Amino acid sequence: MLETIYKNAVTLAIFSIFTTGLTAVVNDITKPIIARNIALKQKHLLNQVMNLDLYDNQTQLECYFVTDPALGNTTPHHLYLARKGDQISATALETTVPDGYAGVIQMLVGADFHGKVLGVRVIEHHETPGLGDKIDLSISNWINSFNGKVIQSADDKSFAVKKDGGDFDQFTGATITPRAVINATKRTALLIETLRDKLSLLPECGDTHE
């Protein structure tokens, strides 16, 4: 009996060691692949919200952290800078939409320092299929309505759904979601306008925030 228990314990120990080692090997193999895929997806999104013609530092965009309530919460958000030669030509700033119909929405807003929105993309959402999910480019082109729009001021009435007197279409049966996305885009673009003279004060990506 004791011999059987001992053999089973040894077998179990060997199996545990083997599976642990195999898991470690698989993790080492897949980790760089996952990281590369994430980087490619991020680059693809950045290229969509900042026209490729606007910058020539595509392989290594400067990255900083921005923390401001205008971004939907007090979590640090990534700010990416595009340069054409020595001049900053565009930015892309992550932002959070706290008041989506089905919960929090994560976005990336591309803009210059003069209130012009270059592009917007939704990174993550939980909106209802067939209603609020039209903010997703794979479902609808609605998100492209922001391309080239210029925000004149915080009181710019055009940055609203048509139901509220603005320029943007609302969704049939779903006004809360597009209204929230429009307001978040407006707040983010206005914040970007204020950042040019504050860049030296912002922590760089790779600091202790990550």
Side-chain angles (χ1 to χ4, degrees):
M1 177 66 73
L2 290 175
E3 183 178 352
T4 300
I5 294 174
Y6 175 75
K7 287 182 178 179
N8 289 340
V10 170
T11 300
L12 181 61
I14 293 173
F15 179 76
S16 298
I17 292 172
F18 173 77
T19 54
T20 300
L22 180 61
T23 300
V25 170
V26 171
N27 182 66
D28 287 342
I29 293 174
T30 58
K31 189 174 181 180
I33 296 175
I34 293 173
R36 183 167 62 251
N37 288 339
I38 291 174
L40 288 173
K41 182 178 179 181
Q42 181 189 61
K43 182 179 179 181
H44 180 64
L45 283 171
L46 288 169
N47 288 344
Q48 290 184 53
V49 301
M50 294 191 298
N51 192 307
L52 285 172
D53 294 336
L54 294 175
Y55 60 107
D56 49 25
N57 62 328
Q58 299 162 18
T59 58
Q60 189 62 50
L61 292 175
E62 296 172 53
C63 178
Y64 298 89
F65 283 110
V66 178
T67 303
D68 194 287
L71 299 177
N73 55 36
T74 55
T75 300
H77 290 70
H78 291 88
L79 169 72
Y80 301 94
L81 300 185
R83 289 183 181 272
K84 192 76 170 179
D86 295 330
Q87 300 298 316
I88 298 174
S89 54
T91 69
L93 180 57
E94 294 174 347
T95 191
T96 299
V97 186
D99 50 352
Y101 179 78
V104 172
I105 300 169
Q106 302 295 342
M107 301 197 312
L108 184 67
V109 175
D112 61 18
F113 289 117
H114 307 290
K116 183 178 182 179
V117 179
L118 304 174
V120 180
R121 286 294 180 271
V122 171
I123 301 172
E124 180 183 346
H125 74 88
H126 307 281
E127 296 304 301
T128 306
L131 293 174
D133 66 342
K134 292 183 179 67
I135 59 174
D136 192 324
L137 184 62
S138 66
I139 305 297
S140 163
N141 287 325
W142 179 85
I143 201 73
N144 287 329
S145 301
F146 292 101
N147 296 359
K149 293 285 188 179
V150 178
I151 303 173
Q152 302 299 332
S153 69
D155 298 323
D156 191 338
K157 303 300 183 184
S158 66
F159 260 73
V161 294
K162 291 180 179 177
K163 184 177 181 179
D164 298 334
D167 293 343
F168 296 86
D169 292 331
Q170 57 264 3
F171 307 152
T172 302
T175 303
I176 292 175
T177 299
R179 183 184 285 137
V181 168
I182 293 166
N183 288 336
T185 300
K186 182 179 180 180
R187 290 194 302 267
T188 304
L190 288 171
L191 176 63
I192 288 174
E193 281 192 80
T194 71
L195 295 179
R196 178 188 286 274
D197 297 328
K198 301 178 182 178
L199 295 177
S200 62
L201 303 176
L202 298 176
E204 295 184 15
C205 298
D207 288 354
T208 54
H209 292 82
E210 284 192 322

